[in-house]
Amino acid sequence: MADKPTKFVFVTGGVVSGLGKGVAAASIGALMENRGLKISMLKMDPYINVDPGTMNPYQHGEVFVTDDGAETDLDLGHYERFTTEPVSKVNNLTTGQVYDAVIGKERRGEYLGKTVQVIPHVTDEIKTRILRAAEGVDACIVEVGGTIGDIEGLPHIEAIRQMRADVGPGNAIYIHLTLVPYISAVGEMKTKPTQHSVKALREIGIQPDIVLCRCEKPLSQELKDKIALFCSTSPATVFDCPDVDTIYAVPLLLNQQGLDDKIAEMLNIWSRAPALDRWQKVVATLRSSNKVARIGVVGKYVHLIDFYKSLHEALLHGGLANGGKVDLEFIDAEELNDQSPGALADVDGILVPGGFGERGTEGKIRAVKWARELKKPFFGICLGMQMMVVEFARHVAGLQNANSTEFDPQTPHPVIDLMESQRGVEDKGATMRLGAYPCKLIEGSLAQAAYQKDEISERHRHRYEVNNHYRKTLAEQGLVFSGLAPDEQLVEMCEIKEHPWFVGCQFHPEFKSKPFDPHPLFAAFVAAAVKAREAK
Ligand code: GLN
């Protein structure tokens, strides 16, 4: 379709944040892709940070890492899980990046003495980046972060308003996602917030082509008619997106209402109806009562669902690979003690995910110890692997007070230490070891058995590493370094024998897991947990 113009679907959000705009956009991407179109996705974030890499987890959920080492918004995780298109740094833009580029140009004199302004200079920069994300595809789905009415989002909204004129009216549509709340006191669903939100959007010059309403229950035709009337659209362009038990049901739900047909019609795209059987299968498995394993996730921010988004999804995919659902139990590391396994006693597998900062690390080490001693399948990711090495050093290799220098710079046994390349790094932003790096797997290891490969590539986000000075001692005591960087100078994976499944990795496999392509390590970990459960 190279000679056809690229189509644009702009998705904005109204009323409140947290409506699941990312999932809605990803679902639209999934439907368009399943119709045989080549698509790309872009998230525009209005904040002034260059990327979310330095934001705290309470402010921002997970930082999603791409192969090319960009630290991006967690919605990019949804995009990769819902579609087959890999994302990279071009698929997330922030106001910080835009201003950085504009100011750079100004300093180089590229604006030829002009006064640099939001319109046209900032908006042009945004549009250039939208076009970059849309290169070579049939359709680009652009999700605008934030809520209509936010001051900081205005340049982004203005840029997408201009885009329709730039690419021609038949080549761009606007979808507005709003909330239709249910007010229990009166037992009614209210359309007023949607009316106001659409009004605010029109004040900026955008008339939504499609209004997509988030609601607890499906909207009645009467309400759809009312929304259409007040929002100057036709009832056929008002869709609803009621709460569902799994995000993977959203593409199906939208398809049933004919949303993708409507988009194709509005954009004049000739494409086949989407084949959604595999989506149906995934949803059916997730809705079945077949619970295959219970996994305890031990961490510091475990209550922050968004902070471990990809991890939770990857565990779910691990369950799918084993024909059912996994139950997740979130265990606060600080509540674990040495006397009894507590909440760990009831789980079939224990996972310690990535993390930063000292709080909770002793609890994570306890979780590793319980998993090793109780012979429960264990999976340590990034910081989780580092804690696994510390636990092994302390309790198996007899290296008293071994630690990571991140948490105890004075430790007598710095088994985890700052990477050589990180010494002297002072800036905090984008300076970790980031993105995809190759790793070779050792013959006969659990790692190799899971991947069925000798060489893999996985995404990283860390500053610390296994200290090579301790490799010999730890290996002699039985710690297997089962994954290494090609030059063998960095430990990427480790494991122990005489245990059902005890594996750690320095990278973040969760970023590459998909519902239709569960990550091999998550599939193998859950398989081990299933076995442990059956043996009970
Ligand atoms: N804090 C550790 C490091 O920087 C682990 C990072 C992580 O778990 N992502 O190496």
Side-chain angles (χ1 to χ4, degrees), residues 353-357 381-384 386 406-407 416 419 432 461-465 506 508:
F356 296 84
I381 296 178
C382 206
L383 179 64
Q386 298 175 354
E406 181 179 6
F407 312 124
I416 303 293
M419 271 181 281
M432 281 188 252
R461 184 170 187 253
H462 64 123
R463 295 186 200 280
Y464 290 80
E465 256 289 337
Q506 186 55 74
H508 289 274

